[in-house]
Amino acid sequence: MMRHALNFVIISENKGVPDPDVLPIEEEKLLLEEALKDSFAHLPQHLQIIAEQTVYVINHSRETVTKHYMGWSAEDDTEYRLGDKSFFKPSLDPRDPRNGSIKVNLSQKFMKTIAIGKILGKKDTRVLLGMRLLVRSILAHELLHAYQYSTNPVQALSNPIPPSNDCRTNCPEGLCDLKLIEGTKRKIEYERAAIALQRSYVAAVEYEAFANALDEYEHTVPDKFEKGSLWWLVSGRHETSLSNYYLRQYVKEREKGREFGELLRIVYEGQYIPPVLVYEIKSLNDQIEMGNVLVNERAKERLARILSEWKSFCEDGTIILKSRLQDPLPYLASVNQRFNLEIQRCNRLIERLHLH
């Protein structure tokens, strides 16, 4: 049976402004089209359907993101409308309520990854395959997010709920909306599933070959990998190094058999566990004040457990979480403040218990 011709809708935000981090517009479109066609057959069937429905945007507008990470979809798209299940159509005005808002955004770093992988892959087929596997994994990850939000969208604590434009209103006095905590937890479950799918494409030999080729090329022509030069976004000295932060780290995490390493645990689970801990310490305090004997007997033990979990997301007593795409998460400031107040209250209550 003959397969139908694949036609992907690709939009570039490239304005033609000289920037060493940006490929020429026709080159980036061609590279992305080739990558999509290569990846299509390697996607699960339900994501193949999504792959032909969604629009792919080569992003140049979110500089702090497009120069550091590979891509994002509705889970982190500032243009996504909460609760929307429809896909963006470039033929309609983005402000038109009939238009959807789900799309896949791909970064300048992603485009440079494809470009340098093709160059280095001419000498070693393992390097070329390493690049293709990485690209397939990233596309699968973001297409799964598009699928998740087109079937069962979630609202998280980081989303400002209309008419507010500030997510801090989701946590009045540091007590976060319980439905939004559950929504955030589901959002992180979505991320866990997307990372698990992404890890399934990891191949240690090919990833290491690509990483080594990058390191060797940078050692040969280091000036081309300086900040402001052609290959800075894929440099080993970049904050999100392609060879280490992506390729080698992905291999390590897969070998350990987990979706979240320590950094990702803080980034993702830190979005909802600290708000949950605020409710736990408040509940403990309320029960002590009501004279619950069983609670009183184990108050110190429960307090120690809550503090230990809280400190795993903190530095010097303050939440250090900075989300991958939203830096920082404003609602956590009031969560942090409320937790410290409840800790002070708990210490006073426990001291009073021992005095009596």
PDB file of all heavy atoms in Angstrom, residues 129-157:
ATOM      1  N   LEU A 129      23.216   9.248  12.678  1.00  0.00           N
ATOM      2  CA  LEU A 129      22.100   8.550  13.313  1.00  0.00           C
ATOM      3  C   LEU A 129      21.869   9.080  14.724  1.00  0.00           C
ATOM      4  O   LEU A 129      20.717   9.214  15.164  1.00  0.00           O
ATOM      5  CB  LEU A 129      22.358   7.044  13.355  1.00  0.00           C
ATOM      6  CG  LEU A 129      21.242   6.192  13.969  1.00  0.00           C
ATOM      7  CD1 LEU A 129      19.908   6.444  13.276  1.00  0.00           C
ATOM      8  CD2 LEU A 129      21.610   4.708  13.904  1.00  0.00           C
ATOM      9  N   GLY A 130      22.942   9.411  15.435  1.00  0.00           N
ATOM     10  CA  GLY A 130      22.798   9.996  16.770  1.00  0.00           C
ATOM     11  C   GLY A 130      21.993  11.278  16.730  1.00  0.00           C
ATOM     12  O   GLY A 130      21.105  11.500  17.560  1.00  0.00           O
ATOM     13  N   MET A 131      22.299  12.132  15.753  1.00  0.00           N
ATOM     14  CA  MET A 131      21.532  13.376  15.595  1.00  0.00           C
ATOM     15  C   MET A 131      20.075  13.072  15.273  1.00  0.00           C
ATOM     16  O   MET A 131      19.163  13.653  15.852  1.00  0.00           O
ATOM     17  CB  MET A 131      22.156  14.234  14.497  1.00  0.00           C
ATOM     18  CG  MET A 131      21.412  15.551  14.229  1.00  0.00           C
ATOM     19  SD  MET A 131      20.044  15.398  13.043  1.00  0.00           S
ATOM     20  CE  MET A 131      20.957  15.253  11.500  1.00  0.00           C
ATOM     21  N   ARG A 132      19.853  12.154  14.343  1.00  0.00           N
ATOM     22  CA  ARG A 132      18.475  11.843  13.942  1.00  0.00           C
ATOM     23  C   ARG A 132      17.669  11.253  15.095  1.00  0.00           C
ATOM     24  O   ARG A 132      16.493  11.580  15.265  1.00  0.00           O
ATOM     25  CB  ARG A 132      18.496  10.880  12.750  1.00  0.00           C
ATOM     26  CG  ARG A 132      18.903  11.558  11.441  1.00  0.00           C
ATOM     27  CD  ARG A 132      18.960  10.577  10.293  1.00  0.00           C
ATOM     28  NE  ARG A 132      19.193  11.270   9.032  1.00  0.00           N
ATOM     29  CZ  ARG A 132      19.543  10.663   7.910  1.00  0.00           C
ATOM     30  NH1 ARG A 132      19.719   9.335   7.894  1.00  0.00           N
ATOM     31  NH2 ARG A 132      19.725  11.368   6.797  1.00  0.00           N
ATOM     32  N   LEU A 133      18.301  10.398  15.888  1.00  0.00           N
ATOM     33  CA  LEU A 133      17.597   9.827  17.039  1.00  0.00           C
ATOM     34  C   LEU A 133      17.239  10.900  18.062  1.00  0.00           C
ATOM     35  O   LEU A 133      16.129  10.896  18.613  1.00  0.00           O
ATOM     36  CB  LEU A 133      18.464   8.750  17.693  1.00  0.00           C
ATOM     37  CG  LEU A 133      18.603   7.436  16.917  1.00  0.00           C
ATOM     38  CD1 LEU A 133      19.712   6.580  17.510  1.00  0.00           C
ATOM     39  CD2 LEU A 133      17.283   6.675  16.910  1.00  0.00           C
ATOM     40  N   LEU A 134      18.163  11.826  18.309  1.00  0.00           N
ATOM     41  CA  LEU A 134      17.874  12.917  19.236  1.00  0.00           C
ATOM     42  C   LEU A 134      16.725  13.770  18.722  1.00  0.00           C
ATOM     43  O   LEU A 134      15.799  14.111  19.476  1.00  0.00           O
ATOM     44  CB  LEU A 134      19.126  13.777  19.439  1.00  0.00           C
ATOM     45  CG  LEU A 134      18.945  15.009  20.344  1.00  0.00           C
ATOM     46  CD1 LEU A 134      18.600  14.595  21.769  1.00  0.00           C
ATOM     47  CD2 LEU A 134      20.201  15.883  20.330  1.00  0.00           C
ATOM     48  N   VAL A 135      16.760  14.105  17.443  1.00  0.00           N
ATOM     49  CA  VAL A 135      15.712  14.933  16.842  1.00  0.00           C
ATOM     50  C   VAL A 135      14.371  14.205  16.878  1.00  0.00           C
ATOM     51  O   VAL A 135      13.334  14.798  17.215  1.00  0.00           O
ATOM     52  CB  VAL A 135      16.105  15.312  15.403  1.00  0.00           C
ATOM     53  CG1 VAL A 135      14.915  15.873  14.632  1.00  0.00           C
ATOM     54  CG2 VAL A 135      17.248  16.332  15.419  1.00  0.00           C
ATOM     55  N   ARG A 136      14.359  12.916  16.565  1.00  0.00           N
ATOM     56  CA  ARG A 136      13.115  12.143  16.630  1.00  0.00           C
ATOM     57  C   ARG A 136      12.554  12.163  18.054  1.00  0.00           C
ATOM     58  O   ARG A 136      11.337  12.285  18.248  1.00  0.00           O
ATOM     59  CB  ARG A 136      13.380  10.695  16.218  1.00  0.00           C
ATOM     60  CG  ARG A 136      13.685  10.483  14.743  1.00  0.00           C
ATOM     61  CD  ARG A 136      14.160   9.048  14.498  1.00  0.00           C
ATOM     62  NE  ARG A 136      14.749   8.890  13.182  1.00  0.00           N
ATOM     63  CZ  ARG A 136      15.430   7.803  12.781  1.00  0.00           C
ATOM     64  NH1 ARG A 136      15.590   6.786  13.619  1.00  0.00           N
ATOM     65  NH2 ARG A 136      15.935   7.742  11.568  1.00  0.00           N
ATOM     66  N   SER A 137      13.444  12.044  19.033  1.00  0.00           N
ATOM     67  CA  SER A 137      12.996  12.000  20.432  1.00  0.00           C
ATOM     68  C   SER A 137      12.358  13.318  20.857  1.00  0.00           C
ATOM     69  O   SER A 137      11.355  13.337  21.581  1.00  0.00           O
ATOM     70  CB  SER A 137      14.176  11.659  21.353  1.00  0.00           C
ATOM     71  OG  SER A 137      15.028  12.778  21.567  1.00  0.00           O
ATOM     72  N   ILE A 138      12.928  14.429  20.407  1.00  0.00           N
ATOM     73  CA  ILE A 138      12.399  15.750  20.779  1.00  0.00           C
ATOM     74  C   ILE A 138      11.061  15.994  20.098  1.00  0.00           C
ATOM     75  O   ILE A 138      10.106  16.479  20.725  1.00  0.00           O
ATOM     76  CB  ILE A 138      13.420  16.842  20.433  1.00  0.00           C
ATOM     77  CG1 ILE A 138      14.633  16.718  21.358  1.00  0.00           C
ATOM     78  CG2 ILE A 138      12.807  18.237  20.537  1.00  0.00           C
ATOM     79  CD1 ILE A 138      15.876  17.389  20.852  1.00  0.00           C
ATOM     80  N   LEU A 139      10.957  15.643  18.835  1.00  0.00           N
ATOM     81  CA  LEU A 139       9.687  15.806  18.124  1.00  0.00           C
ATOM     82  C   LEU A 139       8.609  14.926  18.752  1.00  0.00           C
ATOM     83  O   LEU A 139       7.465  15.371  18.937  1.00  0.00           O
ATOM     84  CB  LEU A 139       9.869  15.472  16.646  1.00  0.00           C
ATOM     85  CG  LEU A 139      10.689  16.488  15.837  1.00  0.00           C
ATOM     86  CD1 LEU A 139      10.994  15.943  14.440  1.00  0.00           C
ATOM     87  CD2 LEU A 139       9.954  17.827  15.735  1.00  0.00           C
ATOM     88  N   ALA A 140       8.958  13.697  19.104  1.00  0.00           N
ATOM     89  CA  ALA A 140       7.984  12.806  19.747  1.00  0.00           C
ATOM     90  C   ALA A 140       7.518  13.389  21.074  1.00  0.00           C
ATOM     91  O   ALA A 140       6.312  13.362  21.398  1.00  0.00           O
ATOM     92  CB  ALA A 140       8.600  11.429  19.963  1.00  0.00           C
ATOM     93  N   HIS A 141       8.454  13.922  21.856  1.00  0.00           N
ATOM     94  CA  HIS A 141       8.138  14.539  23.144  1.00  0.00           C
ATOM     95  C   HIS A 141       7.114  15.657  22.980  1.00  0.00           C
ATOM     96  O   HIS A 141       6.082  15.687  23.666  1.00  0.00           O
ATOM     97  CB  HIS A 141       9.440  15.072  23.751  1.00  0.00           C
ATOM     98  CG  HIS A 141       9.285  15.729  25.086  1.00  0.00           C
ATOM     99  ND1 HIS A 141       9.998  15.322  26.191  1.00  0.00           N
ATOM    100  CD2 HIS A 141       8.522  16.782  25.510  1.00  0.00           C
ATOM    101  CE1 HIS A 141       9.666  16.079  27.230  1.00  0.00           C
ATOM    102  NE2 HIS A 141       8.788  16.979  26.835  1.00  0.00           N
ATOM    103  N   GLU A 142       7.379  16.585  22.072  1.00  0.00           N
ATOM    104  CA  GLU A 142       6.484  17.737  21.914  1.00  0.00           C
ATOM    105  C   GLU A 142       5.163  17.356  21.255  1.00  0.00           C
ATOM    106  O   GLU A 142       4.112  17.920  21.587  1.00  0.00           O
ATOM    107  CB  GLU A 142       7.181  18.850  21.135  1.00  0.00           C
ATOM    108  CG  GLU A 142       8.474  19.354  21.772  1.00  0.00           C
ATOM    109  CD  GLU A 142       8.336  19.735  23.239  1.00  0.00           C
ATOM    110  OE1 GLU A 142       7.206  20.024  23.703  1.00  0.00           O
ATOM    111  OE2 GLU A 142       9.366  19.734  23.947  1.00  0.00           O
ATOM    112  N   LEU A 143       5.182  16.394  20.356  1.00  0.00           N
ATOM    113  CA  LEU A 143       3.929  15.939  19.742  1.00  0.00           C
ATOM    114  C   LEU A 143       3.051  15.224  20.768  1.00  0.00           C
ATOM    115  O   LEU A 143       1.819  15.316  20.704  1.00  0.00           O
ATOM    116  CB  LEU A 143       4.222  15.018  18.555  1.00  0.00           C
ATOM    117  CG  LEU A 143       4.739  15.742  17.308  1.00  0.00           C
ATOM    118  CD1 LEU A 143       5.309  14.745  16.306  1.00  0.00           C
ATOM    119  CD2 LEU A 143       3.617  16.572  16.659  1.00  0.00           C
ATOM    120  N   LEU A 144       3.674  14.526  21.723  1.00  0.00           N
ATOM    121  CA  LEU A 144       2.877  13.907  22.785  1.00  0.00           C
ATOM    122  C   LEU A 144       2.188  14.979  23.623  1.00  0.00           C
ATOM    123  O   LEU A 144       1.018  14.830  24.000  1.00  0.00           O
ATOM    124  CB  LEU A 144       3.748  13.012  23.666  1.00  0.00           C
ATOM    125  CG  LEU A 144       3.010  12.323  24.817  1.00  0.00           C
ATOM    126  CD1 LEU A 144       1.805  11.520  24.325  1.00  0.00           C
ATOM    127  CD2 LEU A 144       3.960  11.414  25.614  1.00  0.00           C
ATOM    128  N   HIS A 145       2.879  16.084  23.913  1.00  0.00           N
ATOM    129  CA  HIS A 145       2.237  17.180  24.645  1.00  0.00           C
ATOM    130  C   HIS A 145       1.065  17.742  23.838  1.00  0.00           C
ATOM    131  O   HIS A 145       0.000  18.047  24.402  1.00  0.00           O
ATOM    132  CB  HIS A 145       3.239  18.290  24.938  1.00  0.00           C
ATOM    133  CG  HIS A 145       4.150  17.999  26.084  1.00  0.00           C
ATOM    134  ND1 HIS A 145       3.720  17.409  27.259  1.00  0.00           N
ATOM    135  CD2 HIS A 145       5.490  18.228  26.251  1.00  0.00           C
ATOM    136  CE1 HIS A 145       4.741  17.281  28.090  1.00  0.00           C
ATOM    137  NE2 HIS A 145       5.825  17.758  27.504  1.00  0.00           N
ATOM    138  N   ALA A 146       1.248  17.902  22.539  1.00  0.00           N
ATOM    139  CA  ALA A 146       0.149  18.386  21.694  1.00  0.00           C
ATOM    140  C   ALA A 146      -1.037  17.422  21.765  1.00  0.00           C
ATOM    141  O   ALA A 146      -2.202  17.848  21.852  1.00  0.00           O
ATOM    142  CB  ALA A 146       0.631  18.544  20.248  1.00  0.00           C
ATOM    143  N   TYR A 147      -0.758  16.129  21.758  1.00  0.00           N
ATOM    144  CA  TYR A 147      -1.817  15.119  21.880  1.00  0.00           C
ATOM    145  C   TYR A 147      -2.500  15.206  23.239  1.00  0.00           C
ATOM    146  O   TYR A 147      -3.740  15.184  23.338  1.00  0.00           O
ATOM    147  CB  TYR A 147      -1.221  13.731  21.671  1.00  0.00           C
ATOM    148  CG  TYR A 147      -2.169  12.600  21.990  1.00  0.00           C
ATOM    149  CD1 TYR A 147      -3.148  12.211  21.080  1.00  0.00           C
ATOM    150  CD2 TYR A 147      -2.090  11.923  23.206  1.00  0.00           C
ATOM    151  CE1 TYR A 147      -4.031  11.180  21.373  1.00  0.00           C
ATOM    152  CE2 TYR A 147      -2.960  10.889  23.514  1.00  0.00           C
ATOM    153  CZ  TYR A 147      -3.932  10.520  22.594  1.00  0.00           C
ATOM    154  OH  TYR A 147      -4.811   9.509  22.895  1.00  0.00           O
ATOM    155  N   GLN A 148      -1.708  15.300  24.305  1.00  0.00           N
ATOM    156  CA  GLN A 148      -2.260  15.360  25.659  1.00  0.00           C
ATOM    157  C   GLN A 148      -3.234  16.522  25.812  1.00  0.00           C
ATOM    158  O   GLN A 148      -4.334  16.365  26.366  1.00  0.00           O
ATOM    159  CB  GLN A 148      -1.126  15.489  26.677  1.00  0.00           C
ATOM    160  CG  GLN A 148      -0.259  14.249  26.812  1.00  0.00           C
ATOM    161  CD  GLN A 148       1.081  14.544  27.484  1.00  0.00           C
ATOM    162  OE1 GLN A 148       1.526  15.683  27.539  1.00  0.00           O
ATOM    163  NE2 GLN A 148       1.735  13.509  27.994  1.00  0.00           N
ATOM    164  N   TYR A 149      -2.833  17.689  25.326  1.00  0.00           N
ATOM    165  CA  TYR A 149      -3.666  18.877  25.506  1.00  0.00           C
ATOM    166  C   TYR A 149      -4.826  18.917  24.524  1.00  0.00           C
ATOM    167  O   TYR A 149      -5.829  19.587  24.782  1.00  0.00           O
ATOM    168  CB  TYR A 149      -2.807  20.148  25.416  1.00  0.00           C
ATOM    169  CG  TYR A 149      -2.063  20.410  26.705  1.00  0.00           C
ATOM    170  CD1 TYR A 149      -0.934  19.671  27.051  1.00  0.00           C
ATOM    171  CD2 TYR A 149      -2.504  21.369  27.617  1.00  0.00           C
ATOM    172  CE1 TYR A 149      -0.268  19.881  28.249  1.00  0.00           C
ATOM    173  CE2 TYR A 149      -1.845  21.586  28.818  1.00  0.00           C
ATOM    174  CZ  TYR A 149      -0.723  20.830  29.128  1.00  0.00           C
ATOM    175  OH  TYR A 149      -0.072  21.046  30.321  1.00  0.00           O
ATOM    176  N   SER A 150      -4.729  18.200  23.421  1.00  0.00           N
ATOM    177  CA  SER A 150      -5.855  18.146  22.474  1.00  0.00           C
ATOM    178  C   SER A 150      -6.910  17.148  22.924  1.00  0.00           C
ATOM    179  O   SER A 150      -8.038  17.162  22.432  1.00  0.00           O
ATOM    180  CB  SER A 150      -5.361  17.783  21.066  1.00  0.00           C
ATOM    181  OG  SER A 150      -4.888  16.447  21.026  1.00  0.00           O
ATOM    182  N   THR A 151      -6.565  16.271  23.870  1.00  0.00           N
ATOM    183  CA  THR A 151      -7.526  15.281  24.370  1.00  0.00           C
ATOM    184  C   THR A 151      -7.981  15.571  25.799  1.00  0.00           C
ATOM    185  O   THR A 151      -9.153  15.369  26.130  1.00  0.00           O
ATOM    186  CB  THR A 151      -6.912  13.860  24.316  1.00  0.00           C
ATOM    187  OG1 THR A 151      -5.657  13.863  25.008  1.00  0.00           O
ATOM    188  CG2 THR A 151      -6.687  13.431  22.869  1.00  0.00           C
ATOM    189  N   ASN A 152      -7.057  16.030  26.646  1.00  0.00           N
ATOM    190  CA  ASN A 152      -7.409  16.258  28.047  1.00  0.00           C
ATOM    191  C   ASN A 152      -6.552  17.387  28.609  1.00  0.00           C
ATOM    192  O   ASN A 152      -5.600  17.150  29.352  1.00  0.00           O
ATOM    193  CB  ASN A 152      -7.199  14.973  28.849  1.00  0.00           C
ATOM    194  CG  ASN A 152      -7.805  15.061  30.240  1.00  0.00           C
ATOM    195  OD1 ASN A 152      -8.521  16.009  30.577  1.00  0.00           O
ATOM    196  ND2 ASN A 152      -7.507  14.078  31.078  1.00  0.00           N
ATOM    197  N   PRO A 153      -6.873  18.644  28.270  1.00  0.00           N
ATOM    198  CA  PRO A 153      -6.038  19.769  28.724  1.00  0.00           C
ATOM    199  C   PRO A 153      -6.099  19.950  30.234  1.00  0.00           C
ATOM    200  O   PRO A 153      -7.098  19.588  30.870  1.00  0.00           O
ATOM    201  CB  PRO A 153      -6.644  20.975  27.999  1.00  0.00           C
ATOM    202  CG  PRO A 153      -8.046  20.574  27.690  1.00  0.00           C
ATOM    203  CD  PRO A 153      -8.008  19.086  27.458  1.00  0.00           C
ATOM    204  N   VAL A 154      -5.010  20.501  30.782  1.00  0.00           N
ATOM    205  CA  VAL A 154      -4.961  20.746  32.222  1.00  0.00           C
ATOM    206  C   VAL A 154      -4.672  22.218  32.487  1.00  0.00           C
ATOM    207  O   VAL A 154      -4.113  22.921  31.649  1.00  0.00           O
ATOM    208  CB  VAL A 154      -3.877  19.883  32.909  1.00  0.00           C
ATOM    209  CG1 VAL A 154      -4.171  18.413  32.735  1.00  0.00           C
ATOM    210  CG2 VAL A 154      -2.489  20.222  32.386  1.00  0.00           C
ATOM    211  N   GLN A 155      -5.088  22.652  33.679  1.00  0.00           N
ATOM    212  CA  GLN A 155      -4.750  23.994  34.150  1.00  0.00           C
ATOM    213  C   GLN A 155      -3.863  23.832  35.373  1.00  0.00           C
ATOM    214  O   GLN A 155      -4.186  23.098  36.300  1.00  0.00           O
ATOM    215  CB  GLN A 155      -6.015  24.782  34.500  1.00  0.00           C
ATOM    216  CG  GLN A 155      -6.864  25.112  33.284  1.00  0.00           C
ATOM    217  CD  GLN A 155      -8.043  26.006  33.623  1.00  0.00           C
ATOM    218  OE1 GLN A 155      -8.324  26.260  34.779  1.00  0.00           O
ATOM    219  NE2 GLN A 155      -8.717  26.493  32.610  1.00  0.00           N
ATOM    220  N   ALA A 156      -2.740  24.526  35.359  1.00  0.00           N
ATOM    221  CA  ALA A 156      -1.747  24.382  36.419  1.00  0.00           C
ATOM    222  C   ALA A 156      -1.597  25.668  37.206  1.00  0.00           C
ATOM    223  O   ALA A 156      -2.097  26.726  36.814  1.00  0.00           O
ATOM    224  CB  ALA A 156      -0.403  23.976  35.811  1.00  0.00           C
ATOM    225  N   LEU A 157      -0.890  25.588  38.321  1.00  0.00           N
ATOM    226  CA  LEU A 157      -0.675  26.759  39.175  1.00  0.00           C
ATOM    227  C   LEU A 157       0.083  27.864  38.458  1.00  0.00           C
ATOM    228  O   LEU A 157      -0.068  29.043  38.781  1.00  0.00           O
ATOM    229  CB  LEU A 157       0.099  26.346  40.429  1.00  0.00           C
ATOM    230  CG  LEU A 157      -0.695  25.531  41.451  1.00  0.00           C
ATOM    231  CD1 LEU A 157       0.244  24.866  42.444  1.00  0.00           C
ATOM    232  CD2 LEU A 157      -1.699  26.409  42.179  1.00  0.00           C
TER     233      LEU A 157
END
